[in-house]
């Protein structure tokens, strides 16, 4: 059984059926605050009250407007309610907004409630019986089919004790809210209070918040800190899921927040322009819904325009259900399992709704069997299957623990347990321990196979090169694959003895440089030229001309000699015999150890009189190799 302080009661019903009067009669609180509401005698905005039950507990009460023009306010108020009091006037019976409000409550997942048959002081007993029969027919097949129908009068007080007793009983039947470590509070009201600053109110739908906590406003990303909390007009240190909560903040302007925003911990949510959903198209619709229909999405306390993309058909018949993707004009911050309502763009009426399947999906192509099947499976999947689907669907980008929290609505403990099981059977591979990012084994194997293919093609195209640059191989990866996934692939391939990584080069373990007869001869000739020229070699273009070689073939052979360590490149087009460079290095180090420094003239003498075009590249080469350090016009031995 839940703590009764955590149960929210909401009204619903047609305009002028007595919702506000009934709330005032049982709570003593007038929920119509606005001057316009007083003058017109109708509820425009959401109203809030609280009710002490016979057992001493208090319920939060949300009073919603009944006029068709204010249905969007009604939907905002219905978010987070546990029990609905469907208000139907005995003298009018079931009316259009009665039916629409019932549809909205059903779509929002409300499963507990009762019918308050109001204004019974205005009808005789025969009329009352007819009204009750009308209500029974209306409720047939709905979640209110077996709900009590209570005749009441806010004027005479008839039936009010029975109504309160029924609410007391219903409150004890409401199941606990699903456990969640994610604090979320959709904002339904914002105002400024003298001495307190900006105050927001809303129903705390999950998690917990306490004074001093940092918060972030979604989707704007503005941050602040909780200065004070009230529940039922009493100051408290913390508020729990299911409570009507008022929060005020430090240094936050009223203009920075509005109805429809969501309060949560910093970086806990992830606003998205796309949402995968399970959508139910109401049977009361008169014609099929086509894909890409313009709609109004109501979720939490927000209303956002967008298009509904049907993923498995061109159009959806009334009364049918499907999986779809909402593509929105503005970002929305939701989590898996959130209920939503869809209303038509124009004329505005409720057409359907359902539950969020994936709050942060990629853009889907239509008629993809694996996507459609995967989304259908989300509704009934266990934690491991659900997480496995999302990790696989994330592809080479992988998916983080924080994103999985939104995609699954699991507690951190449940998520940890399922991930451990998936890692134990090697279905999920952890890419980054710090960010807790995971990739599916199937996706990792695909990247490994693709990498092997790229290397095979490279070796075939460049048989004289011992390997491919790591950066070049990384460029072949999907752009969404981060460097840690690339490194994971390389490490796994090394572990499996499929590749060898040498400095900046990668090659298949089976690859061996093989020279054709003419290439082997060219290699001997090039090496002999550089060995003979010592510290005053020709430019490479001169080597090509001298040997009358093909430039491309000669360059490949030269690069092979460099990779073998037989030739050293200094700069531009200048290359030296590696043995000559090593011998010079030995003499240079010995000279500096004995003399402390060397001048250009001394270095020229050491090289056998090499010209400036060789001396400067050689000096710069030894500087780059951390052998020497330039100080003014001389070089000194670099320490270490």
């Amino acid at each position: 059984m839940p703590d009764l302080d955590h149960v929210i009661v909401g009204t619903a019903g047609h305009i002028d059926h007595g919702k506000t009067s009934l709330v005032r009669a049982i709570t003593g609180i007038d929920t119509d605050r606005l001057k316009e509401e007083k003058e017109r005698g109708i509820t425009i905005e959401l109203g809030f009250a609280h009710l002490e039950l016979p057992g001493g507990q208090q319920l939060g009460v949300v009073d919603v407007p009944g006029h068709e023009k204010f249905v969007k306010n009604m939907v905002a108020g219905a978010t987070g309610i546990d029990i609905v009091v469907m208000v139907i006037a005995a003298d009018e019976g079931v009316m259009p907004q009665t039916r629409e409000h019932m549809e909205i409550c059903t779509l929002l997942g409300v499963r507990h409630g009762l019918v308050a048959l109001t204004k019974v002081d205005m009808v005789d007993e025969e009329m009352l019986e007819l009204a009750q029969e009308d209500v029974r027919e209306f409720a047939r097949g709905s979640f209110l089919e077996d709900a009590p129908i209570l005749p009441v009068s806010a004027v005479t007080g008839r039936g009010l004790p029975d109504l309160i007793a029924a609410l007391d009983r219903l409150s004890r039947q409401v199941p606990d809210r699903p456990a969640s470590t994610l604090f979320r509070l959709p904002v339904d009201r914002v105002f400024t209070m003298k001495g307190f600053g900006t105050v927001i109110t809303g129903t705390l739908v999950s998690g917990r918040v306490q004074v001093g906590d940092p918060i972030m406003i979604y989707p704007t990303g503005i941050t602040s800190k909780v200065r004070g909390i009230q529940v039922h007009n009493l100051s408290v240190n913390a508020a729990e899921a299911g409570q009507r909560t008022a929060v005020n903040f430090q240094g936050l302007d009223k203009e920075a927040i509005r109805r429809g925003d969501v309060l949560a911990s910093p970086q806990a949510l992830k606003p998205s322009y796309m949402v995968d959903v399970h959508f139910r198209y109401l049977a009361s619709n008169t014609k099929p819904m086509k894909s890409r229909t313009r709609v109004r999405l109501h979720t939490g306390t927000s209303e956002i325009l967008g298009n509904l993309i049907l993923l498995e058909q061109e159009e959806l018949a009334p009364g049918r259900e499907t999986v779809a993707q909402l593509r929105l004009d503005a970002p929305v911050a939701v989590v898996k399992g959130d209920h939503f309502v869809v209303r038509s763009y124009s004329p505005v009426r409720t057409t359907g709704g359902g539950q969020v399947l994936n709050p942060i999906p990629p853009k889907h192509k239509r008629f993809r069997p694996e996507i459609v099947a995967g989304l259908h499976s989300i509704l009934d999947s266990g934690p491991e299957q659900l997480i496995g689907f999302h990790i696989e669907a994330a592809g080479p980008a992988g998916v983080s623990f924080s994103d999985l929290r939104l995609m699954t609505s699991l507690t951190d403990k449940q998520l940890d347990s399922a991930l451990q099981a998936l890692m134990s059977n090697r279905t999920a591979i952890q890419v980054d321990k710090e960010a807790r990012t995971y990739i599916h084994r199937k996706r990792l194997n695909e990247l490994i196979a693709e990498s092997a293919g790229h290397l095979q093609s490279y070796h075939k195209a460049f048989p004289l090169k011992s390997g491919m640059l790591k950066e070049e191989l990384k460029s072949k990866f999907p752009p969404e694959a981060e460097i840690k996934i690339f490194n994971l692939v390389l490490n796994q391939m090394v572990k499996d003895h499929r590749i060898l990584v040498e400095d900046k080069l990668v090659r298949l373990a089976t690859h061996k440089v093989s020279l054709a007869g003419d290439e082997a001869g060219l290699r001997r000739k090039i090496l002999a030229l550089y060995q003979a020229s010592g510290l005053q070699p020709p430019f490479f273009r001169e080597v090509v001309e001298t040997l009358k070689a093909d430039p491309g073939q000669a360059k490949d052979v030269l690069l092979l000699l460099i990779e073998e360590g037989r030739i050293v490149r200094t700069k531009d087009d200048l290359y030296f015999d590696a043995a000559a460079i090593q011998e010079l290095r030995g003499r240079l180090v010995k000279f500096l150890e004995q003399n402390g420094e060397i001048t250009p003239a001394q270095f020229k003498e050491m090289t056998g009189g090499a010209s400036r075009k060789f001396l400067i590249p050689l000096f710069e080469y030894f500087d780059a190799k951390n052998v020497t350090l330039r100080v003014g016009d001389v070089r000194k031995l670099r320490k270490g």
Side-chain angles (χ1 to χ4, degrees):
M1 290 297 170
D3 179 339
L4 296 184
D5 279 342
H6 296 188
V7 175
I8 305 294
V9 174
T11 63
H14 198 76
I15 184 173
D16 203 30
H17 277 205
K19 294 184 293 299
T20 303
S21 298
L22 184 62
V23 171
R24 185 168 57 243
I26 63 174
T27 68
I29 298 171
D30 185 358
T31 55
D32 280 348
R33 309 180 314 273
L34 304 179
K35 181 181 178 182
E36 185 181 358
E37 291 177 317
K38 303 288 188 185
E39 292 174 349
R40 295 175 62 182
I42 64 170
T43 299
I44 297 171
E45 266 294 353
L46 300 174
F48 307 102
H50 49 89
L51 171 66
E52 185 172 324
L53 293 170
Q57 300 88 353
Q58 290 198 354
L59 301 183
V61 180
V62 182
D63 183 33
V64 305
H67 196 288
E68 62 178 339
K69 289 184 178 179
F70 308 122
V71 171
K72 69 176 183 179
N73 294 346
M74 180 271 166
V75 178
T79 292
I81 69 172
D82 303 295
I83 299 170
V84 64
V85 175
M86 185 63 67
V87 177
I88 303 174
D91 61 338
E92 286 193 336
V94 175
M95 298 290 282
Q97 254 50 61
T98 316
R99 297 185 186 280
E100 186 170 18
H101 284 202
M102 172 72 94
E103 290 175 334
I104 289 168
C105 289
T106 302
L107 293 168
L108 290 177
V110 181
R111 295 295 177 263
H112 298 82
L114 56 81
V115 178
L117 198 55
T118 56
K119 302 188 179 183
V120 295
D121 54 292
M122 299 178 67
V123 299
D124 56 27
E125 288 303 312
E126 184 179 356
M127 186 69 173
L128 180 57
E129 278 189 34
L130 289 173
Q132 288 174 317
E133 185 57 38
D134 185 32
V135 170
R136 288 191 192 95
E137 180 62 31
F138 163 69
R140 190 167 291 124
S142 76
F143 70 94
L144 291 180
E145 182 170 11
D146 299 319
I149 301 171
L150 304 174
V152 295
S153 170
V155 176
T156 67
R158 176 181 171 180
L160 296 185
D162 294 336
L163 174 61
I164 292 172
L167 288 173
D168 198 4
R169 288 192 299 273
L170 270 176
S171 296
R172 300 177 192 281
Q173 296 171 15
V174 175
D176 290 328
R177 289 171 180 263
S180 175
T181 46
L182 190 65
F183 153 60
R184 287 194 301 149
L185 194 156
V187 177
D188 55 37
R189 188 179 170 212
V190 188
F191 57 94
T192 302
M193 198 169 178
K194 190 173 182 180
F196 290 90
T198 300
V199 178
I200 70 95
T201 66
T203 298
L204 213 166
V205 295
S206 67
R208 183 176 189 272
V209 63
Q210 64 183 33
V211 174
D213 281 353
I215 62 98
M216 181 172 280
I217 301 165
Y218 296 86
T220 61
I222 296 170
T223 57
S224 185
K225 185 176 285 189
V226 176
R227 182 178 176 185
I229 302 172
Q230 283 195 347
V231 175
H232 304 318
N233 296 327
L234 296 175
S235 293
V236 295
N237 187 57
E240 309 281 347
Q243 292 181 321
R244 283 295 308 169
T245 307
V247 184
N248 82 296
F249 304 99
Q250 295 177 355
L252 186 66
D253 293 334
K254 177 185 173 185
E255 290 70 27
I257 188 167
R258 60 184 180 177
R259 174 183 291 172
D261 290 343
V262 180
L263 301 186
S265 301
Q267 311 309 323
L269 299 181
K270 197 170 180 180
S272 173
Y273 284 89
M274 290 180 283
V275 182
D276 287 342
V277 297
H278 183 264
F279 177 68
R280 174 186 168 196
Y281 192 45
L282 291 172
S284 58
N285 291 298
T286 58
K287 59 182 179 179
M289 172 179 274
K290 295 181 179 180
S291 185
R292 298 201 63 81
T293 295
R294 192 77 169 149
V295 298
R296 300 172 186 270
L297 169 69
H298 295 263
T299 181
T301 54
S302 67
E303 178 188 25
I304 301 174
L305 293 173
N307 296 89
L308 185 70
I309 312 300
L310 303 177
L311 296 177
E312 56 180 334
Q313 62 267 101
E314 289 295 346
E315 58 181 32
L316 188 66
R320 302 299 295 272
E321 300 178 3
T322 190
V323 291
Q325 186 168 75
L326 283 159
R327 296 178 188 164
L328 306 169
D329 294 1
V332 64
V334 293
V335 303
K336 187 254 180 184
D338 279 357
H339 290 273
F340 67 91
V341 169
V342 160
R343 307 191 77 220
S344 53
Y345 180 67
S346 181
V348 183
R349 64 174 300 273
T350 302
T351 58
Q355 280 185 281
V356 171
L357 297 177
N358 185 356
I360 46 175
K363 188 175 183 178
H364 298 310
K365 291 183 179 179
R366 301 176 64 211
F367 306 112
R368 295 285 293 274
E370 69 278 14
I371 297 297
V372 170
L375 290 176
H376 274 296
S377 73
I378 286 178
L379 288 174
D380 304 313
S381 294
E384 288 181 32
Q385 293 80 7
L386 179 60
I387 295 167
F389 167 74
H390 283 306
I391 294 177
E392 184 175 352
V399 62
S400 68
F401 185 91
S402 59
D403 283 356
L404 285 171
R405 188 189 286 128
L406 306 180
M407 292 168 156
T408 64
S409 287
L410 296 171
T411 65
D412 287 4
K413 186 176 181 181
Q414 292 169 326
L415 197 50
D416 265 322
S417 176
L419 281 167
Q420 287 300 325
L422 289 168
M423 287 192 291
S424 294
N425 63 29
R426 300 288 290 170
T427 298
I429 310 297
Q430 191 171 56
V431 178
D432 187 336
K433 288 186 177 180
E434 186 176 339
R436 303 189 70 182
T437 304
Y438 305 87
I439 190 173
H440 199 278
R441 161 57 70 180
K442 185 185 294 186
R443 299 303 180 206
L444 179 63
N445 289 341
E446 288 172 356
L447 290 174
I448 288 173
E450 289 168 7
S451 298
H454 291 315
L455 288 171
Q456 186 70 47
S457 298
Y458 186 86
H459 293 326
K460 186 176 180 180
F462 306 102
L464 299 186
K465 294 185 178 180
S466 61
M468 186 182 196
L469 285 170
K470 279 198 288 187
E471 281 303 312
E472 186 175 350
L473 181 59
K474 172 67 177 71
S475 71
K476 305 288 186 183
F477 270 54
E480 63 269 26
E482 295 184 355
I483 186 66
K484 290 194 175 181
I485 289 179
F486 173 69
N487 290 335
L488 175 68
V489 169
L490 291 193
N491 291 338
Q492 187 62 49
M493 293 180 78
V494 169
K495 186 178 177 181
D496 296 340
H497 306 293
R498 298 187 66 173
I499 64 170
L500 293 174
V501 179
E502 297 166 345
D503 194 20
K504 296 180 179 180
L505 295 177
V506 186
R507 65 180 172 87
L508 291 174
T510 56
H511 176 64
K512 297 285 188 296
V513 174
S514 54
L515 296 175
D518 56 339
E519 291 166 343
L522 185 58
R523 177 183 178 279
R524 287 193 298 273
K525 292 176 182 177
I526 291 174
L527 184 58
L529 268 177
Y530 281 110
Q531 288 174 335
S533 59
L535 297 175
Q536 300 185 61
F539 286 106
F540 182 67
R541 61 180 178 276
E542 296 170 346
V543 171
V544 173
E545 291 172 2
T546 299
L547 298 177
K548 294 182 172 55
D550 175 81
Q553 187 183 44
K555 191 61 177 283
D556 286 344
V557 171
L558 177 69
L559 293 176
L560 176 62
L561 287 167
I562 292 172
E563 289 172 5
E564 291 175 346
R566 305 298 300 273
I567 297 292
V568 170
R569 178 178 181 172
T570 55
K571 62 179 290 186
D572 302 329
D573 197 31
L574 205 54
Y575 301 86
F576 292 83
D577 173 46
I581 291 291
Q582 188 62 24
E583 188 274 336
L584 177 61
R585 182 184 187 281
R587 288 190 287 122
L588 176 61
V589 170
K590 185 176 180 180
F591 183 91
L592 290 172
E593 287 175 342
Q594 293 174 348
N595 300 283
E597 61 183 41
I598 189 170
T599 66
Q602 291 170 322
F603 189 54
K604 179 174 183 177
E605 183 180 346
M606 184 180 289
T607 61
S611 67
R612 180 181 177 83
K613 73 176 181 180
F614 299 117
L615 291 180
I616 292 176
L618 286 169
F619 257 149
E620 290 176 349
Y621 172 79
F622 288 124
D623 289 344
K625 292 296 182 181
N626 293 322
V627 175
T628 55
L629 177 67
R630 181 174 180 173
V631 181
D633 291 331
V634 301
R635 254 68 173 191
K636 295 187 176 184
L637 190 65
R638 188 181 289 270
K639 293 181 180 179

